[in-house]
Amino acid sequence: MRKIIVAIDGHSSCGKSTMAKDLAREVGYIYVDTGAMYRAVTLFALRQGLFSPDGGIDAARLETLMPEVTVSFRLDEATGLPLVCLNGECVERDIRGLEVSAHVSPVAALPFVREALTRQQQAMGRERGLVMDGRDIGTVVFPDAELKVFVTASAEVRARRRYDELAAKGMAADYDDILRNVQERDYIDSHREVAPLRQAPDALLLDNSLLTVAQQKAWLMERFKEKTDDMA
Ligand code: DC
């Protein structure tokens, strides 16, 4: 059967990666979390001390250092899922904390960062057979993706999910801080000049505020089957 590209875009913390991972595992496709790539570059910038106390970034310095940044994925043998690596070091845990979350939007708004990561993402899809989640996959990275989904949920539901996720990993967090961070990122992601978050005209809209993980997984599997049956 011909393989396709599934592009899953949407707001932060609305379960995009859970549904993308599940689908990829079920149908034997590669899963790529592009948010993890922007987070890895942000971690690099934090480690280099490129942020001022007010959160501003020294973009010129980051641009000079970009050739030294390699973001890659390594398969976790236990789970079969990709782990993000920064210059060969697995940084999966470091990129999920609130510090990286609080600094990632300005990094993701930089054109030279987007260009470098977009090029890498497009190379990953050359053979198709890919489920990729992010903000601009259906609009910029793969405008020709065969199946596009735009996922959203209320900010409060998303903050609660992120809080529960961090708590389950034993990482301390404050719900109000997380809600503020979710709202701020929505605003910056949707209003930036380059590749702003928006629904592609041919994307299916999924508001999962009231859906369980199992329901959303089943919904996506149905859409995938419809699409691939159509093409068979
Ligand atoms: O999905 P996430 O929360 O891990 O993404 C982290 C940040 O990266 C988010 O604020 C938006 C940005 N991002 C982006 O601009 N483009 C993508 N394709 C993926 C993520």
Side-chain angles (χ1 to χ4, degrees), residues 12-118:
S12 65
S13 308
C14 59
K16 295 187 299 293
S17 57
T18 305
M19 66 195 282
K21 259 181 236 170
D22 280 345
L23 177 69
R25 192 183 309 115
E26 200 117 325
V27 302
Y29 277 21
I30 290 169
Y31 163 65
V32 180
D33 170 0
T34 61
M37 300 172 77
Y38 288 95
R39 287 172 179 270
V41 176
T42 305
L43 180 66
F44 174 85
L46 282 164
R47 286 179 173 177
Q48 294 287 327
L50 302 186
F51 287 95
S52 57
D54 67 0
I57 176 144
D58 185 344
R61 181 92 188 111
L62 181 59
E63 188 163 15
T64 311
L65 292 175
M66 259 327 259
E68 291 174 29
V69 182
T70 305
V71 179
S72 57
F73 289 95
R74 192 174 71 209
L75 269 199
D76 180 342
E77 302 207 343
T79 62
L81 288 171
L83 301 173
V84 73
C85 301
L86 171 62
N87 293 337
E89 174 197 349
C90 174
V91 291
E92 195 56 44
R93 191 179 165 85
D94 309 60
I95 61 162
R96 304 291 167 193
L98 206 53
E99 202 190 7
V100 168
S101 298
H103 290 89
V104 64
S105 283
V107 172
L110 296 171
F112 63 88
V113 172
R114 302 208 70 84
E115 270 160 36
L117 297 187
T118 298

Side-chain angles (χ1 to χ4, degrees), residues 97-191:
L98 206 53
E99 202 190 7
V100 168
S101 298
H103 290 89
V104 64
S105 283
V107 172
L110 296 171
F112 63 88
V113 172
R114 302 208 70 84
E115 270 160 36
L117 297 187
T118 298
R119 222 176 303 121
Q120 215 177 321
Q121 290 153 10
Q122 287 169 336
M124 292 172 184
R126 249 177 233 135
E127 311 283 321
R128 305 194 98 71
L130 188 76
V131 184
M132 188 173 266
D133 78 54
R135 303 293 187 287
D136 60 340
I137 312 308
T139 50
V140 175
V141 182
F142 293 114
D144 62 342
E146 290 82 354
L147 176 58
K148 298 182 187 177
V149 178
F150 190 87
V151 197
T152 192
S154 77
E156 289 73 17
V157 165
R158 289 183 284 134
R160 170 60 54 192
R161 287 178 185 158
R162 189 147 213 131
Y163 176 88
D164 291 345
E165 209 177 277
L166 290 171
K169 287 182 190 159
M171 292 163 87
D174 178 77
Y175 172 81
D176 291 329
D177 284 349
I178 295 178
L179 178 60
R180 216 171 306 120
N181 175 251
V182 163
Q183 288 165 333
E184 264 169 30
R185 282 201 293 152
D186 281 355
Y187 185 86
I188 303 179
D189 292 345
S190 319
H191 289 82

Side-chain angles (χ1 to χ4, degrees), residues 9 138-140 143 148 150 198-205:
D9 290 306
T139 50
V140 175
K148 298 182 187 177
F150 190 87
R198 61 178 176 81
Q199 183 181 348
D202 53 346
L204 306 170
L205 178 67

